[in-house]
Amino acid sequence: MSTVDTGAPYDENAQIHLGVFYPGIGAQTVWEDANAPDQVATDTFVEVAQTLERGLFDAFFLGDGQRVRENRGAILSTDIAGRPDAIIQLSALAAVTERIGLVATQNATYNLPAELARRLASLDALSEGRAGWNIVTTDNAWTGENFRRGGWLEHERRYERATQVVELAKQYWAGQKVSHDTDLVKAVAQSRISESAQGRPVLFQAGDSTGGRDLAARHADVVFSANHAFDDAVAYARDLRARTAAFGRPADAVKILPGVTVVLGDTEAEAEEKVRWLRGNAHNGVRAVAFLEHYWGKDLSSYDPEGPLPDIDPVEDELDPSRGTLAIAARTGKLEQIAQWRKLAYDKGLSIRELVLEVSPASRFHSGTPAAVADRWADLVRNRVVDGFNINPYHVRDSVNDLVDKLVPALQERGVYRTEYTTTTLRGHLGLDDETASDKKAS
């Protein structure tokens, strides 16, 4: 790879930072595989976190859901429900791990700032400086109903609120008395929790809109980029670093970790076969039919997923937002979309499952032999296109073991990955500057 302009200089000694994100929804993970462990049991989380710590990973992330997904008014059977709260679960993991960072996905839209800040500070104290907050937002009224706030927040205000919540949390962690009289909080709060070894939780942010990028540039320590294609990733790195500098921070103050799914094989052919297996099983018949039911608004369980598309008309109502997974732009124009799918299925002779596989967004696969993936990643991190990766394991046990036992040694051979932990805090693992002093000054 030739040197590229990413807004940061080439670094021959750059080190890759790795996290694993453990979601509860989506087709990126084959939840139903018979060899996968229980997706709710505490022992599963313990096993994964300890395996990743053996692999010297920076962090283990847990997803969060403010409400279970539904399909035609019933809980969506293909998603995971019943997990403990992420902060509580990670607090338990702090007792059975020693170094790995523990990052909780927590919603800035519905949580109360002081209460959330206190719980995150508690995790940071219990883990002795290994806590992080993955800041997410939502606008949908369906989730808001859980908080008696249906239709409460306009889409464009998500990051306005998130910025206010983050700023209040940072004041709280800095030991400042928080007094704010807005729709966010009408109270006075002050932290009674002592600083941890890293000062405050590390801030992660995953939004890719203009508002999301500005929030990351202004406040985040790490950002999860969705831009995994090379040209997009280069453009994103330049843009984020320019925004970060514009907020008065060092241009490369924010670590960039794109979200990816890693599929490893002893040969390229084996890796390609695993990708085919993964896509076929992640978009299985049950998921495919449930996907179309969302658009048809009707019970389609009598239709064979390996057969043609339903020959009945969908209901005319637009999409039910209760699945909570659709972008704003995709919530209208349902009938036109179905007409396009019918034509595509007819032209290509696609079954229900094949059509869903065809129209579903392609996963961000990084596949190949461990050596090939390690070579690619070493070039990316040295060119400062990225600082590492946040990996979504497609199989909770097998793919995690592959990462630790196959990919990590290949990265270590190339000199781009640690051979031991040299710090005790998440901030230290990530090589982040200590911003807690400036937080206090700004407060």
Side-chain angles (χ1 to χ4, degrees):
M1 179 188 296
S2 59
T3 302
V4 293
D5 177 16
T6 63
Y10 181 89
D11 185 358
E12 182 65 33
N13 297 314
Q15 297 289 292
I16 289 177
H17 299 286
L18 295 180
V20 155
F21 179 54
Y22 197 155
I25 62 170
Q28 67 272 42
T29 300
V30 184
W31 306 112
E32 300 91 341
D33 186 77
N35 294 320
D38 188 326
Q39 307 299 316
V40 176
T42 299
D43 287 349
T44 299
F45 295 100
V46 171
E47 177 186 352
V48 172
Q50 290 181 337
T51 299
L52 295 174
E53 188 167 71
R54 177 168 61 84
L56 308 175
F57 272 59
D58 291 75
F60 171 57
F61 300 77
L62 276 181
D64 178 51
Q66 297 295 307
R67 179 169 171 172
V68 294
R69 268 57 177 177
E70 297 173 16
N71 185 40
R72 295 183 295 104
I75 293 175
L76 191 65
S77 63
T78 55
D79 287 343
I80 303 301
R83 285 181 175 169
D85 171 78
I87 293 177
I88 294 174
Q89 180 66 74
L90 290 172
S91 296
L93 293 182
V96 293
T97 58
E98 296 179 355
R99 296 292 186 93
I100 193 167
L102 303 168
V103 183
T105 302
Q106 294 289 295
N107 197 298
T109 304
Y110 297 112
N111 280 297
L112 296 176
E115 189 270 342
L116 175 59
R118 183 175 185 276
R119 290 194 295 126
L120 288 164
S122 298
L123 175 60
D124 206 26
L126 289 170
S127 64
E128 299 181 321
R130 293 188 283 138
W133 173 19
N134 181 25
I135 305 160
V136 296
T137 68
T138 188
D139 69 333
N140 68 70
W142 167 77
T143 298
E145 290 175 355
N146 265 16
F147 300 85
R148 294 182 293 178
R149 292 170 175 167
W152 177 61
L153 190 67
E154 293 116 357
H155 179 72
E156 58 271 15
R157 292 199 61 204
R158 291 174 303 144
Y159 287 110
E160 173 192 340
R161 176 178 169 81
T163 299
Q164 292 174 329
V165 172
V166 171
E167 289 173 348
L168 288 169
K170 290 173 78 171
Q171 291 175 28
Y172 184 89
W173 294 328
Q176 303 296 314
K177 184 176 290 186
V178 177
S179 179
H180 209 67
D181 187 12
T182 70
D183 61 344
L184 289 176
V185 58
K186 293 180 174 63
V188 175
Q190 188 168 13
S191 174
R192 294 182 180 274
I193 298 174
S194 300
E195 281 189 354
S196 74
Q198 67 177 356
R200 63 160 171 81
V202 176
L203 300 180
F204 296 78
Q205 200 275 330
D208 194 40
S209 65
T210 298
R213 293 186 188 207
D214 280 344
L215 175 61
R218 188 172 184 176
H219 287 298
D221 301 303
V222 183
V223 65
F224 299 150
S225 167
N227 301 282
H228 61 100
F230 179 76
D231 290 344
D232 292 341
V234 170
Y236 178 86
R238 283 200 302 263
D239 178 72
L240 180 68
R241 287 168 181 151
R243 291 173 190 263
T244 304
F247 280 110
R249 303 174 66 192
D252 61 352
V254 184
K255 301 293 184 183
I256 302 174
L257 274 64
V260 298
T261 294
V262 180
V263 182
L264 301 173
D266 293 335
T267 64
E268 292 291 338
E270 181 182 336
E272 291 173 2
E273 178 56 33
K274 282 187 176 182
V275 169
R276 285 191 292 271
W277 174 88
L278 171 56
R279 293 208 73 202
N281 282 274
H283 296 281
N284 59 30
V286 173
R287 286 184 182 273
V289 170
F291 180 86
L292 290 194
E293 283 181 336
H294 185 45
Y295 284 82
W296 258 257
K298 295 181 178 181
D299 181 359
L300 303 178
S301 59
S302 62
Y303 286 84
D304 181 359
E306 302 303 332
L309 267 61
D311 54 2
I312 58 175
D313 291 331
V315 300
E316 293 186 358
D317 295 340
E318 287 295 351
L319 299 181
D320 175 2
S322 66
R323 287 275 288 277
T325 57
L326 297 168
I328 290 293
R331 292 179 187 167
T332 59
K334 180 187 76 172
L335 299 181
E336 291 83 354
Q337 180 67 81
I338 291 173
Q340 293 173 13
W341 288 346
R342 287 191 188 279
K343 183 177 185 305
L344 178 62
Y346 177 81
D347 290 345
K348 291 192 172 184
L350 302 176
S351 67
I352 290 176
R353 190 179 65 82
E354 290 168 338
L355 181 278
V356 172
L357 189 60
E358 179 91 5
V359 302
S360 296
S363 296
R364 297 183 287 273
F365 290 127
H366 282 209
S367 62
T369 65
V373 173
D375 284 339
R376 193 183 322 157
W377 284 11
D379 280 340
L380 289 170
V381 75
R382 286 169 177 155
N383 275 280
R384 303 303 304 283
V385 177
V386 303
D387 295 293
F389 296 92
N390 196 35
I391 303 168
N392 178 191
Y394 64 89
H395 190 282
V396 173
R397 178 174 285 128
D398 294 349
S399 62
V400 170
N401 289 337
D402 279 352
L403 293 172
V404 170
D405 297 330
K406 297 179 180 180
L407 183 57
V408 163
L411 293 170
Q412 290 170 331
E413 289 172 6
R414 286 152 181 79
V416 293
Y417 193 73
R418 62 173 65 94
T419 55
E420 62 180 352
Y421 285 116
T422 58
T423 60
T424 60
T425 68
L426 176 55
R427 183 171 295 276
H429 298 341
L430 291 163
L432 295 167
D433 292 335
D434 184 358
E435 294 190 358
T436 56
S438 61
D439 288 345
K440 290 179 179 177
K441 183 177 179 181
S443 300

